[in-house]
Amino acid sequence: MDVLYFAWVRERIGLPKEKVTTDAETVADLVAELRAREDRYDLAFSDLSALRVAVDQELTDFDASIKGAREVAFFPPMTGG
């Protein structure tokens, strides 16, 4: 699956996008796998309340299933103006 990172998440991880092979069943499981990779992932995902997630371009929660998903995107909350 493609994992996309936006804004400061991308800056902390150092990548805009990567292909990930995972057995994770939920977004939270995927985050746990990513955090275990390297310190930069652990730092980027250290405060999930500061992140939003979309699965296949639909906003969702961290307990959402990712079975069969093609894309998961992480980004900070958006503000209007």
Side-chain angles (χ1 to χ4, degrees), residues 28-54:
D29 294 338
L30 176 62
V31 168
E33 287 182 8
L34 293 171
R35 289 185 76 179
R37 282 180 160 188
E38 296 176 31
D39 287 344
R40 62 187 173 143
Y41 291 92
D42 192 38
L43 176 63
F45 293 109
S46 63
D47 181 8
L48 296 185
S49 69
L51 284 174
R52 298 295 176 263
V53 61

Side-chain angles (χ1 to χ4, degrees), residues 6 8 10 23 56 78:
F6 294 92
W8 58 260
R10 176 181 55 223
D23 292 323
D56 290 337
M78 298 170 275

Side-chain angles (χ1 to χ4, degrees), residues 8-74:
W8 58 260
V9 185
R10 176 181 55 223
E11 291 171 13
R12 289 183 185 174
I13 292 174
L15 298 169
K17 175 181 176 179
E18 65 182 317
K19 287 235 182 256
V20 173
T21 301
T22 181
D23 292 323
E25 294 193 13
T26 66
V27 175
D29 294 338
L30 176 62
V31 168
E33 287 182 8
L34 293 171
R35 289 185 76 179
R37 282 180 160 188
E38 296 176 31
D39 287 344
R40 62 187 173 143
Y41 291 92
D42 192 38
L43 176 63
F45 293 109
S46 63
D47 181 8
L48 296 185
S49 69
L51 284 174
R52 298 295 176 263
V53 61
V55 175
D56 290 337
Q57 300 185 6
E58 298 230 0
L59 287 175
T60 191
D61 294 317
F62 284 86
D63 60 353
S65 174
I66 58 170
K67 286 295 186 190
R70 294 181 309 194
E71 176 185 282
V72 176
F74 296 99

